[in-house]
Amino acid sequence: MNIENASYVKAVMGGKEYAIQNNPKNVAAAIYKANAAQQSISILTPDNITVVSSFGPFLDRCTDFSYLNSKLVPELTAMQTLSQPVPQLQMYRSADRGGIKR
């Protein structure tokens, strides 16, 4: 699945899985906030394909360089340099039975 076709993506950090609305600003905010909490994060498509992951403050693995370079990095860089505020991020915790709950 192409990440740009998904309405949400999975964010895995601290051993917990969350769902977030899929847009570059939300994904960048999730990565930024994981870094601020000194946690690694993996962003996956709904069908569990890793799009990008971080290891500490570094982007570690990426399977979609076009998305990374043209959409995600500009948003993330703007947040990291404080030229753009980090938006409020709503993350929904995956329920035990496969649903998404708040």
Side-chain angles (χ1 to χ4, degrees):
M1 168 181 276
N2 184 329
I3 187 170
E4 295 186 48
N5 296 335
S7 60
Y8 75 93
V9 292
K10 295 179 182 180
V12 179
M13 67 182 169
K16 296 177 182 168
E17 184 178 291
Y18 302 89
I20 59 174
Q21 182 183 9
N22 182 27
N23 66 56
K25 191 176 291 284
N26 275 348
V27 174
I31 293 170
Y32 181 90
K33 290 180 180 196
N35 281 336
Q38 297 181 336
Q39 292 186 5
S40 296
I41 187 169
S42 294
I43 304 295
L44 301 96
T45 62
D47 54 352
N48 292 321
I49 295 174
T50 301
V51 176
V52 65
S53 63
S54 73
F55 182 75
F58 305 102
L59 294 178
D60 181 39
R61 183 190 311 173
C62 179
T63 59
D64 188 341
F65 286 103
S66 174
Y67 172 78
L68 178 75
N69 291 327
S70 67
K71 302 206 174 166
L72 187 58
V73 167
E75 293 288 346
L76 185 57
T77 300
M79 290 175 200
Q80 291 172 331
T81 59
L82 305 177
S83 62
Q84 168 180 300
V86 180
Q88 183 71 8
L89 177 66
Q90 291 191 357
M91 299 178 79
Y92 299 91
R93 180 83 193 277
S94 294
D96 294 336
R97 296 194 177 139
I100 302 297
K101 68 178 183 180
R102 221 172 186 186

